[in-house]
Amino acid sequence: MPPRITSFTRQRVLVADGVSLNVAVGGSGSPIVLLHGFPQTHLMWRHVAVDLAADHTVICPDLRGYGDSDKPADDGQAYSKRTMAADVVAVARAFGHERFALAGHDRGALVAFRLGLDHPDVVTHLASLDVLPTLDMWDVMHGTTAAVGFHLYLMAQPPGLAETMIAASADAFFGHFLDVWVNDPTSIPADIRAAYLKASREAVPSIVADYRASATVDVEHDRADQVAGNRLRMPVSVLQQDWGAALGFDAAARWREWATDLEHNTVSCGHFMAEEAPADVVKALRDLLAR
């Protein structure tokens, strides 16, 4: 039996022509949508979601191209964060919610960032876990320290090469990140790890397309907002590892350029904080929702 979030039901939700997402939903009360990262699925929220469901409706989709959601062919726009953000709005509306709080981790945080800019009247509160906005991410990568982001450059290449290389050794590739980005390996038990690897090896083209978009169309969209002076207007909380110290930048200052009401905190756990330190993530989200 594949792993599931305890007490949550799973549904398929049509979000666009020919594209449906797999969504886990549970609880009742004011809605919060949780968006997963790479190389994961909605299961990364299994601890946080159950806690929040005590007094919130918690909606956890697999992003398009990931997990059990549909994986349309890439046409240059299919995996833009703008398109993926529109998916999330459609999911929330399918459950009857025109406004909702939003938290994203890693790739999901980039979708959340774009959703907050494109749909500011929809998002009441926004949390970002362990990323920088796309423009800033590329800007802070310099010299040999940028080797930590080798996958960003690999998957930014034109279609073909990255897909072939990754598919040839998918478990080794995706498993690498599950190994090196975690401080406490026991936080991702064997059945969850197996589910992540299976989902990822079955989604190589769409995962690469998601990353390629962050070197192409996503950059265009973010730069247009930067030039226009658009910013996140809702309360924003950011949880990040201390990448600034490692790569030589001020993460909080970077985020202040994008968010008018920002709470920025550095964490001591690894990248997969919703699994390594779920109580800390829940507290941060509840504090955010109280703002």
Side-chain angles (χ1 to χ4, degrees):
M1 186 79 175
R4 290 176 175 262
I5 299 179
T6 303
S7 77
F8 276 49
T9 62
R10 286 174 54 169
Q11 303 180 36
R12 293 198 69 78
V13 177
L14 182 68
V15 295
D17 186 21
V19 179
S20 295
L21 301 193
N22 174 59
V23 183
V25 61
S28 61
S30 61
I32 181 167
V33 179
L34 306 178
L35 305 179
H36 68 85
F38 161 92
Q40 298 171 294
T41 69
H42 74 278
L43 288 171
M44 63 152 284
W45 294 110
R46 61 196 178 278
H47 307 304
V48 172
V50 169
D51 191 306
L52 291 176
D55 46 10
H56 294 280
T57 298
V58 183
I59 301 168
C60 304
D62 286 336
L63 298 170
R64 73 159 59 197
Y66 288 80
D68 289 327
S69 289
D70 287 345
K71 302 165 180 64
D74 186 23
D75 60 3
Q77 299 290 331
Y79 293 93
S80 75
K81 302 309 154 292
R82 174 160 289 162
T83 299
M84 296 170 82
D87 289 348
V88 176
V89 174
V91 165
R93 286 178 177 161
F95 289 103
H97 304 295
E98 292 294 329
R99 284 169 55 79
F100 51 89
L102 180 63
H105 174 259
D106 190 85
R107 308 305 295 171
L110 297 180
V111 176
F113 176 79
R114 174 46 50 195
L115 203 163
L117 289 172
D118 283 0
H119 306 274
D121 296 330
V122 168
V123 181
T124 63
H125 303 77
L126 191 150
S128 172
L129 277 59
D130 220 28
V131 296
L132 284 175
T134 300
L135 285 181
D136 299 273
M137 174 189 73
W138 290 114
D139 192 48
V140 302
M141 305 286 274
H142 298 293
T144 56
T145 58
V148 69
F150 78 94
H151 60 301
L152 301 173
Y153 296 92
L154 171 63
M155 290 190 276
Q157 303 308 310
L161 177 63
E163 292 89 336
T164 300
M165 292 176 65
I166 294 168
S169 192
D171 283 8
F173 180 77
F174 296 114
H176 166 79
F177 302 101
L178 295 173
D179 291 337
V180 302
W181 286 352
V182 69
N183 288 357
D184 176 11
T186 66
S187 65
I188 304 179
D191 62 333
I192 298 295
R193 179 187 175 89
Y196 291 160
L197 291 178
K198 179 178 185 296
S200 296
R201 87 172 72 96
E202 293 174 352
V204 171
S206 52
I207 290 174
V208 174
D210 166 35
Y211 272 86
R212 184 178 294 117
S214 285
T216 53
V217 62
D218 294 343
V219 171
E220 296 172 9
H221 293 160
D222 285 7
R223 185 170 290 119
D225 278 311
Q226 184 184 59
V227 170
N230 295 333
R231 304 178 78 193
L232 299 168
R233 303 201 305 259
M234 68 291 298
V236 175
S237 286
V238 174
L239 299 178
Q240 287 188 291
Q241 298 180 91
D242 198 3
W243 285 110
L247 298 178
F249 65 92
D250 184 337
R254 292 275 179 171
W255 271 104
R256 280 194 294 270
E257 293 296 315
W258 289 102
T260 59
D261 179 1
L262 175 69
E263 179 75 24
H264 187 281
N265 290 289
T266 302
V267 301
S268 58
C269 61
H271 178 64
F272 302 114
M273 58 187 70
E275 292 166 290
E276 291 191 64
D280 293 341
V281 172
V282 167
K283 182 180 185 307
L285 293 180
R286 290 191 179 281
D287 288 348
L288 169 64
L289 294 171
R291 281 162 53 195

